[in-house]
Every structure is written in C-alpha cells, then in structure tokens.
Amino acid sequence: MKIDSRAEIPARQAWRRGQKKKSHFLSTRKAKGVIQTESGLEASFAFGCDLHPKVKAIRPQPCTFDLKSGRVYRTKAELITKFKGTGYKPKPYTPDFEVICFDGRRLFVEVRHSRLLKHNESTLLLPNIFRSLGLELLIVTDQFLARDLVHNIRSLHPYIQRSPTDEFLRNLSSLEPETFRLEFLLKELGCSQIDVLSSIVLGHISVDLRAGMLRPKSVGRLAHGEKSHLEIFPL
C-alpha cells in the first residue's frame, strides 16, 4: 500500500487487515515521504539510518527477489503474476530495506527479532544466497539493536534538524578536559538539552551510544566534528 504520494511504491504490502502486529508510519530524512514498517524494530533501524553518517538514502520494501532464479522484480505481485499457471513456483523474498551509502555501496537489510529467527532459520541463509548473486544482505536483530541503543536512537532523532547555540559552541571549544559528564555541560555551562543532544548529532560531542541510556551522568568527549559514534550499524 502506498500511503504517501511522495513515497516510493513498496514491493509488497507491509501489513494486512486482521493481522495482530501493528504497522508503524514514520518520516525520515533519508526516505521519500511517509513510510510504513512492520515493527518498532524496523522503525528504529530507519531512524538509526537517519543518524548514520555513511548512509545517503534508504528504501523500505525496495524490490522482490526470486531466490530460485536470482532474478529481481519490482513487486512481489509482479513475480507471482508472471509465473501464475506455468507450473513454476517461485520463491519470493522482499528485503525490509535497501541502504544506499555515500560511497556508492548498496546493500539490503533484513530486520528481524531473534526469537523469530529460531522459528525460521532459513533466514540465516540469506546473506550467503545474496553473496552468490553478487549482492550484500545484512541481518539486524534486537540483540544488535538492544534496548539502550534504541532508546538513544529515538532520543537523538528529533534533534537532527536542531542546532546548538553559537554561545554553547564557543564555550564547548574552550573546555580543557576532553572528557566530561553531560551534566557538567548542563550545570556548569548552563546549556540546554537541545545544545547537548544536537551537538551529539552534529559531531561536536561523542558519546558511546551502546554504553547505556543517555543520561546526565553519561560520559561525553569532544569530537571536533567526527561522527564515528553515530555509525550505529556495521555498514
């Protein structure tokens, strides 16, 4: 279902009436229009891509592969229709995302809860299948997108289009200690949450996003515009 005229047509419908799982509608800087995902984990991945400095764009449900032939189709319906009544039974698979990086690299991503992998272990074979086709597929699970990391992704995402004040940046650049707790900035420099969180997004401050939920006690470092702490996924 295309839910936004600006969005690209997904290769398959992410959610159908009567299903217990909830669909998630969201807007990101790196996908066209409002997109639909099948789970909160997929939504968190999309938000993480917005923060990731290597990611140029993402496409949800980008295309459908016939894993038997290795051929790619615009939609799952197109694949099924093509072979209907022929006796050939294709094996359709639609990745959750296609990720396009600034360096030109393209890869497909399957976002899956680890408990579901136990009931469908064939998913673990997908990276090798794609490799045989000269393509790359990454499986991202909730073990990688752990609770604290997801919390931090969603905490930072609203500040992507915000900026710290010039006064705060001047005070930050004059700090002698390279390492500090975020509460030092809030209390001693009298800065705002917008200053701190937008500075993490822009690379003025580096924080280990896997070390725990972002709090005043979290340790920050002067990053001088370097954004490797935002490389949330191994792309």
Side-chain angles (χ1 to χ4, degrees):
M1 177 177 64
K2 188 174 182 180
I3 57 176
D4 186 330
S5 60
R6 297 167 297 169
E8 297 181 88
I9 298 175
R12 69 176 176 85
Q13 191 170 326
W15 175 86
R16 292 184 295 276
R17 187 184 301 276
Q19 287 184 325
K20 292 183 179 180
K21 63 183 177 182
K22 295 181 180 179
S23 59
H24 296 252
F25 299 93
L26 55 137
S27 178
T28 77
R29 291 186 311 148
K30 297 180 181 179
K32 294 180 181 179
V34 175
I35 65 174
Q36 184 180 13
T37 65
E38 293 179 297
S39 69
L41 197 66
E42 288 181 22
S44 294
F45 176 82
F47 288 143
C49 286
D50 255 6
L51 294 168
H52 202 301
K54 291 184 177 180
V55 175
K56 181 179 181 180
I58 61 172
R59 291 181 60 204
Q61 311 285 336
C63 56
T64 295
F65 290 87
D66 178 7
L67 296 182
K68 284 187 176 180
S69 67
R71 293 185 177 181
V72 61
Y73 296 83
R74 191 172 59 88
T75 65
K76 181 180 179 180
E78 180 181 299
L79 169 59
I80 299 300
T81 300
K82 180 177 178 64
F83 294 103
K84 187 176 182 180
T86 65
Y88 175 77
K89 293 184 179 180
K91 190 175 182 180
Y93 167 68
T94 303
D96 292 323
F97 294 96
E98 181 183 20
V99 175
I100 300 97
C101 299
F102 281 104
D103 63 3
R105 188 159 152 257
R106 306 171 80 94
L107 68 154
F108 297 94
V109 177
E110 176 72 19
V111 182
R112 187 72 64 94
H113 280 276
S114 53
R115 69 176 184 275
L116 297 178
L117 287 178
K118 295 178 182 179
H119 301 294
N120 189 8
E121 294 184 353
S122 61
T123 302
L124 297 174
L125 301 176
L126 288 172
N128 285 335
I129 294 173
F130 270 67
R131 199 171 295 115
S132 71
L133 300 174
L135 301 170
E136 187 175 358
L137 182 134
L138 174 69
I139 298 176
V140 175
T141 71
D142 53 312
Q143 292 179 339
F144 188 87
L145 275 173
R147 183 189 64 171
D148 289 353
L149 178 59
V150 167
H151 173 272
N152 294 338
I153 288 172
R154 289 178 175 265
S155 295
L156 291 173
H157 191 262
Y159 294 89
I160 285 178
Q161 295 182 313
R162 307 295 293 271
S163 298
T165 63
D166 291 338
E167 180 183 3
F168 170 73
L169 292 179
R170 285 194 296 270
N171 291 335
L172 188 67
S173 65
S174 65
L175 283 181
E176 290 188 6
E178 286 280 319
T179 302
F180 43 80
R181 293 193 184 277
L182 298 185
E183 64 182 355
F184 171 79
L185 304 179
L186 296 167
K187 294 179 179 179
E188 299 301 321
L189 298 187
C191 65
S192 67
Q193 180 172 287
I194 294 176
D195 287 329
V196 174
L197 297 183
S198 62
S199 291
I200 294 173
V201 172
L202 292 172
H204 301 300
I205 299 171
S206 171
V207 177
D208 184 351
L209 298 180
R210 293 186 174 277
M213 293 185 182
L214 282 174
R215 303 182 188 279
K217 294 288 186 183
S218 298
V219 175
R221 296 175 178 81
L222 294 180
H224 307 291
E226 207 272 331
K227 297 183 179 181
S228 60
H229 61 286
L230 298 175
E231 294 180 10
I232 299 162
F233 316 112
L235 302 179

